[in-house]
Amino acid sequence: MTIPPPSFRRASDSDSITAGMAQTYVHAEPGTRLLNRFDELRAVLRNDGMRQNGAANAPTEKADPTLASIFFLHGDEHKRRRGAIISMFTPKAIATRHMPVITRTADELIADFRRRGRARLDEMSFLLTATVVAEILGLTETPLKPMMHRIEMANGAPDVWRGGIRKLLAPIKSRFYGLAFLHRDVKPAVAARRRQRRDDVISKLLDEGRSDIEVLVECMTFGLAGIGTTREFIVVAALHLFEKEDLRRRFLEGDEAEQIETLKEILRLEPQASMIYRTSTERVTDGLSQPVEPGERLSLEIRAANLDEAVVGPDPTRIDPDRARRMKNNGAWMSFGDGSHFCPGWQVALTESRVILDRLFRLPGLRLVRYPDMQWTPPMLQSYQFTKAVIECDRD
């Protein structure tokens, strides 16, 4: 097992790979009230009087429903937007529509890795998740890598949290890349589906009479969310499997359901969203130790809620794949949120992760030869990001 670099600080009292850095970087947004108990987060996320709220400097339109990310909508508008695409993320859709794309892409990546004998794990996970997301959305008319770069830059990352002149120029840069994404990627995809509908999100949006701008917003939202979170989780899950022989053996010997249970338990300790935010429109008391007043802004710590011993059971900082079954929970805990904004693509993400990791860890001579660099990416989800993880295997 490759040793992490000295700068990669680990928490000695936790199985979590990211907990050490989280202690430094995860914090409530200034001017908000921090909630970190599982039952209080669930009460807030399921309350209709709460409104989705991003970090103060997040470059996201919130006022105009046609331009706002679905994450910042609520009520009937949120239900309408979510209802238009939710059928793309059901177990049936995964089995019949997405699984062929997932397995074909994973097999191609593994075959290329076997030929070369060396690869970047973060690049493999990116190509898998980006290909699957592009197929689900219908962004299949233009080259993948440049398109995904335009999506990332249009959403403001990473300049918005770097400060200085980069932060000041971030909105201009974001608009430039947004227009480039619209004209180079979205419009060709829309034109192709106006000629002939397909089984993808863009076709469903066109059936509802959505404009090109509305299609653009949906593609940016689900493109960034679907790629970034899953890409990082695949890497961190792989690190756990490299490090823990018993966990790796259990994963490889288990059936699909057991493998998913293992991945959910890893995700409990390594949630991609460490912090999410809400603002109350009314006085809320149910499920809370102290009332939330109208207009009060809340920071909800997902990572801490997933360690709430009263809910997840004893030894919450240790990985235990039997935990969810023993506690009679589906194992998602707070890793995908809760309530009306519960992550719609969670099953796709876990399926992608299971498929690629199962294939990867069955390769002869698989080894991690360079531990990845890790950084934290504020301001919104306060997420970890891994880069430059190098793996090798015996060549064909």
Side-chain angles (χ1 to χ4, degrees):
M1 172 63 197
T2 298
I3 303 299
S7 60
F8 199 101
R9 185 166 62 84
R10 298 286 290 267
S12 60
D13 60 344
S14 175
D15 284 343
S16 170
I17 290 172
T18 61
M21 290 189 73
Q23 291 172 0
T24 300
Y25 291 105
V26 175
H27 53 79
E29 187 179 4
T32 68
R33 173 175 152 195
L34 176 66
L35 297 181
N36 53 24
R37 281 175 34 198
F38 186 94
D39 57 347
E40 291 195 317
L41 264 67
R42 182 170 56 190
V44 167
L45 294 174
R46 294 183 179 183
N47 190 289
D48 292 337
M50 295 291 173
R51 296 292 178 261
Q52 182 81 279
N53 183 42
N57 59 344
T60 310
E61 172 65 56
K62 305 182 184 107
D64 185 344
T66 64
L67 299 178
S69 159
I70 192 173
F71 299 132
F72 292 96
L73 297 177
H74 56 85
D76 291 341
E77 183 62 27
H78 177 261
K79 291 178 182 178
R80 181 180 75 88
R81 291 266 291 271
R82 187 181 176 97
I85 51 86
I86 197 64
S87 64
M88 299 297 298
F89 301 100
T90 62
K92 180 180 179 181
I94 294 172
T96 61
R97 169 71 171 82
H98 310 322
M99 186 58 81
V101 179
I102 293 172
T103 54
R104 182 184 71 242
T105 306
D107 287 341
E108 291 172 353
L109 290 169
I110 293 296
D112 184 66
F113 178 36
R114 288 295 308 274
R115 286 192 298 270
R116 297 173 182 270
R118 187 179 178 93
R120 282 266 301 271
L121 180 56
D122 49 311
E123 290 182 351
M124 289 180 67
S125 64
F126 166 78
L127 289 172
L128 173 64
T129 56
T131 300
V132 173
V133 166
E135 288 283 346
I136 291 174
L137 292 176
L139 293 169
T140 55
E141 309 304 312
T142 47
L144 184 67
K145 287 186 177 181
M147 176 177 65
M148 292 307 166
H149 176 69
R150 286 189 283 272
I151 291 177
E152 183 178 30
M153 300 308 297
N155 277 277
D159 288 341
V160 71
W161 60 75
R162 288 178 172 169
I165 188 66
R166 290 184 176 181
K167 180 178 177 180
L168 294 175
L169 294 177
I172 299 173
K173 192 173 182 179
S174 177
R175 183 173 292 275
F176 170 81
Y177 278 99
L179 289 172
F181 177 52
L182 172 65
H183 290 285
R184 293 188 182 185
D185 308 299
V186 174
K187 283 186 175 294
V190 168
R193 281 145 187 83
R194 289 194 190 281
R195 293 191 296 269
Q196 182 177 359
R197 296 291 200 267
R198 304 178 196 176
D199 186 16
D200 53 38
V201 169
I202 290 178
S203 294
K204 291 182 179 297
L205 296 176
L206 293 178
D207 286 341
E208 290 201 341
R210 303 291 189 88
S211 68
D212 288 0
I213 296 299
E214 288 178 294
V215 173
L216 168 71
V217 172
E218 300 288 14
C219 288
M220 286 176 58
T221 298
F222 286 99
L224 189 67
I227 295 169
T229 55
T230 310
R231 174 187 62 194
E232 303 305 332
F233 175 67
I234 289 172
V235 177
V236 77
L239 294 179
H240 278 282
L241 296 178
F242 274 119
E243 291 184 355
K244 302 174 179 66
E245 182 179 353
D246 290 346
L247 189 69
R248 180 171 68 250
R249 184 184 305 112
R250 176 175 177 136
F251 179 79
L252 293 176
E253 292 176 355
D255 60 20
E256 292 184 9
E258 291 169 331
Q259 289 183 329
I260 291 294
E261 286 180 353
T262 297
L263 293 179
K264 284 182 181 178
E265 176 64 359
I266 293 173
L267 186 61
R268 182 183 66 83
L269 288 187
E270 316 284 10
Q272 251 290 290
S274 293
M275 197 79 70
I276 58 177
Y277 313 90
R278 293 293 186 272
T279 298
S280 181
T281 62
E282 60 189 29
R283 194 170 195 266
V284 179
T285 60
D286 291 345
L288 300 173
S289 58
Q290 296 180 2
V292 174
E293 303 299 335
E296 189 171 4
R297 298 175 62 230
L298 306 172
S299 290
L300 310 178
E301 189 176 352
I302 298 294
R303 184 176 288 267
N306 280 353
L307 299 177
D308 189 339
E309 191 169 351
V311 178
V312 305
D315 296 323
T317 61
R318 304 302 177 188
I319 290 179
D320 177 4
D322 295 317
R323 182 184 302 276
R325 194 180 309 167
R326 186 172 59 252
M327 301 302 295
K328 298 181 180 179
N329 186 281
N330 70 357
W333 309 107
M334 280 293 160
S335 300
F336 299 103
D338 205 323
S340 61
H341 284 272
F342 189 84
C343 175
W346 69 279
Q347 294 179 92
V348 176
L350 287 172
T351 300
E352 292 176 74
S353 303
R354 185 196 68 77
V355 169
I356 190 68
L357 291 171
D358 180 78
R359 283 158 169 74
L360 187 66
F361 279 89
R362 295 185 191 278
L363 293 178
L366 179 69
R367 52 201 178 270
L368 178 67
V369 298
R370 186 190 188 280
Y371 211 90
D373 298 333
M374 190 178 88
Q375 58 186 349
W376 220 258
T377 57
M380 289 189 66
L381 302 180
Q382 299 189 32
S383 306
Y384 53 83
Q385 185 176 45
F386 292 99
T387 58
K388 301 179 182 178
V390 180
I391 54 176
E392 292 181 349
C393 69
D394 296 344
R395 297 177 65 178
D396 280 340

